[in-house]
Amino acid sequence: MKISYNWLKQFLQVDWDAQKTGELLTDLGLEVEGISQFESVKGGLKGIVVGQVLTCEKHPNADKLKLTTVDIGQEAPLQIVCGAPNVAAGQKVPVATVGTTLYTPEGEAWVIKKGKIRGEVSEGMICAEDEIGIGESHDGIMVLNEELIPGTPCSKVFDIENDEVFEIGLTPNRADAMSHFGVARDLKAGLEQKEIQKELVTPSVSNFSIDNRSLKVDVEVLESNLAPRYCGVTISNLVVQDSPDWLKNRLKSIGLTPINNVVDVTNYVLHELGQPLHAFDAFKIKGTKVEVKTLPSGTKFTTLDGVERELHEDDLMICDAGTPMCIAGVFGGLHSGVTEHTTSIFLESAYFDSVSIRKTAKRHGLNTDASFRFERGIDINLTKYALKRAALLIREIAGGYITSEIVDLFPKKPQDRQVFLTFNKIHSLIGQEIPQDTIKSILSSLEIRINNVTESGLGLTIPAYRVDVTREVDVIEEILRVYGYNNIDFKEKLNASIAKTSRFENYRIQDLVGNMLAAKGFYEIMTNSLVSSDITSTDDSAVQMLNPLSSDLSVLRTSMLHSGLQTVSYNHNRQKTDLKLFEFGKTYHKVNGEHIEKQHLAIFISGDRNQNSWSVASKKSEFFYLKGIVDNVLERLGLRDIDTKPLAESGYAEGISYVKNDKVLVSLGLVGKADIKKFDIKQEVFYADLDWDAILESVSTQNVSFKEIPKFPEVTRDFALLLDESISFQKVYDIAWNTEKKLLKKVNLFDVYTGKNLPEGKKSYAVSFTLMDEKKTLADKQIDKIMGKLLAQYQKELGAELR
């Protein structure tokens, strides 16, 4: 946000240099990121002085040039070659001396040098209007007032404005400071703490009067919840033309381009007081009636930029009797605005609901000075005052008459916020006792009214324009920023207590696992917890945002999968196809009316597991590489005796889960084709979801136990089973345990093949079976008998074949 120092001084007569003022503003929380210079005429007419033409003769070597001598107040006159047809002896003219920098209309700089023109010395330049930047005429040299003294700097002759402009990095909560008046109000409070008393001068509207009532525009607000206050007035017989220089300079100093006197006034008051306004051509308002309402979804509307937009059913519109004229608080319409042919206007000043304006602006991709302020919240009590201020300025510089009563539709006035401030809370938060008189002085300087004083604290009324001050801590923050963070003392002695923390603290475990994964070549990612409602449309536990920024960010995620796949897709689209990623994050659920957050560790693998080189060939990532990573993580955390089971969750084409004490710790596998296709990913993605809450509980409650190493060996046998594609590993798993309950210790799926050389509709499962007898060594005959039973059951129940 740009703030002009000259403009600021209209409200507060500050004689400090800009650097010192900028430091105070920064201390007050309005961080000044830079101070730039503004000149209404580029170069500020430096080096250009008043000269008197003493002689003017024809150039001896050129028909169209003149040879002149010019007095610029020095001991000897200058000889200057001039090509202007109107130059003559006795004239007072602007002279650019040698070394002066002039600028073209395009902003290119060129320096006046001493030289020869057609054989005659020229020691400067007699200038036209456009050559020094104070006009557009180039018909001839500029002739000045005869009473001017030669040698007088032209910067003193012309009304040149030099200004210093603060670039303030305004935080979103400081809606009250989105204007020169708001910044001046804060600056006054800061000066008072330095015992510098300055009067805050506000523009007077006491001479506002209605000239006649010849043009009435009726107003009806049909959506009072979206437009709690709406004001308007008509002005007739005005002349739309260029603004005066002072107004142009004010707007140019903060980076705005002047348009015409009416539009410039609305922009001026917006940046002066923080109240957006809009001017309609009164004769373009059909039926001389304004309606503030919403329109059916899909209604077409062309905005000032010439773009035809489709309206949403929640977009608040300013309409006449037949058509929409303006997107309320955001952008005007192409066919209702002020032009050079306008002679009468309807001037609008309103307060619109901040949430509604923000949603509308985001929907249409618009960001205007008006929407910027409405979105953050303006002062509802300023609406009518700003309207009067703008109407008086328009009448002053554009002529015309105020031709109607002010329409002020304000059905429900908001209640002032009441806050009780306790002295103990101030001292505990700030860490230093501030005198009560100082506290009262600061509150008064911020226009926070003190209603009553007790031994324990103060009863306060917060002004309406401070939309961000709603709690006791907010008031304390206001006191501290005006009192000055730099005025808080720090003790030389630092006291600290040693906290007893568990080695199982969440952050410790996360650091341990994160460093381990990073060492294995994984990159940590952080994705947005907000996702599109399309992703969670089938999940009844999804938590909807009340005021989403857009439809793509309207729901809190219920799974880490989709936000991670967005990252995978983003990298694939940029030729980064070999990915190893992990993320610690949360999912959000609404269960039985309660909101629940769950912690997760998500791991994604896609593409090759290592880069191809002369010494090592690239190797494609596959299921068991991810399984090995997960096994390493669990092993590092000391989690053992974990069972694996088939995974029945949606989202996986194939997968397994790790279970301990009937709790699923990990789900991992190949991401299903539907999700891969949704994110336009062209290769396999392997995904592991670690339930971090369950893992933390298991880690912290796990007791170290010892058991004897089995005296007798385990035996592992494998089957390569040819099965129908519809058969899941769950069935293979259950049949194994139902067939052999005594000696079977583990069932593990270690390969799935669905490629070539298989019958249509078939797939191959490679399954391992671990057998052990704790009392004796298993004999081959006993093992073969068990494996035969298993095969027979698979053939009988699943129609399986051995490959």
Side-chain angles (χ1 to χ4, degrees), residues 727-750:
I727 296 174
S728 67
F729 176 56
Q730 181 72 50
K731 292 182 179 180
V732 176
Y733 184 86
D734 291 342
I735 289 171
W737 288 105
N738 291 332
T739 303
E740 177 55 50
K741 299 180 180 179
K742 182 179 179 181
L743 300 179
L744 183 63
K745 301 300 179 184
K746 190 182 296 184
V747 180
N748 185 41
L749 175 68
F750 64 89

Side-chain angles (χ1 to χ4, degrees), residues 242-258:
D242 284 348
S243 298
D245 288 341
W246 70 265
L247 179 53
K248 288 182 178 179
N249 290 339
R250 285 284 178 266
L251 298 180
K252 286 179 181 178
S253 68
I254 58 173
L256 298 182
T257 302

Side-chain angles (χ1 to χ4, degrees), residues 90 154 225 252 308 329 346 356 418 470 618 638 669 689 712 777:
C154 283
N225 59 320
K252 286 179 181 178
E308 185 179 73
F346 173 72
S356 170
Q418 306 294 322
T470 59
S618 62
D689 179 16
F712 304 100
T777 300

Side-chain angles (χ1 to χ4, degrees), residues 523-531 535 557-572 576 579-587 601-606 671 675-676 679 681 685-688:
Y523 288 89
E524 184 172 10
I525 61 174
M526 289 183 287
T527 59
N528 200 333
S529 298
L530 295 171
V531 296
I535 292 176
R557 65 186 174 194
T558 57
S559 168
M560 301 287 288
L561 174 62
H562 298 103
S563 52
L565 288 178
Q566 286 179 333
T567 302
V568 172
S569 175
Y570 182 89
N571 281 272
H572 281 191
K576 301 293 183 182
L579 301 172
K580 293 191 288 185
L581 310 171
F582 74 95
E583 177 183 12
F584 289 99
K586 291 182 178 181
T587 58
L601 167 60
I603 301 175
F604 297 87
I605 297 175
S606 182
V671 179
D675 285 318
I676 293 294
F679 291 92
I681 299 172
V685 177
F686 297 93
Y687 166 59

Side-chain angles (χ1 to χ4, degrees), residues 52-70:
Q52 181 174 7
V53 181
L54 301 178
T55 63
C56 180
E57 301 174 353
K58 183 178 177 299
H59 193 292
N61 303 317
D63 294 335
K64 294 184 179 181
L65 297 179
K66 303 288 180 63
L67 191 63
T68 67
T69 55
V70 183

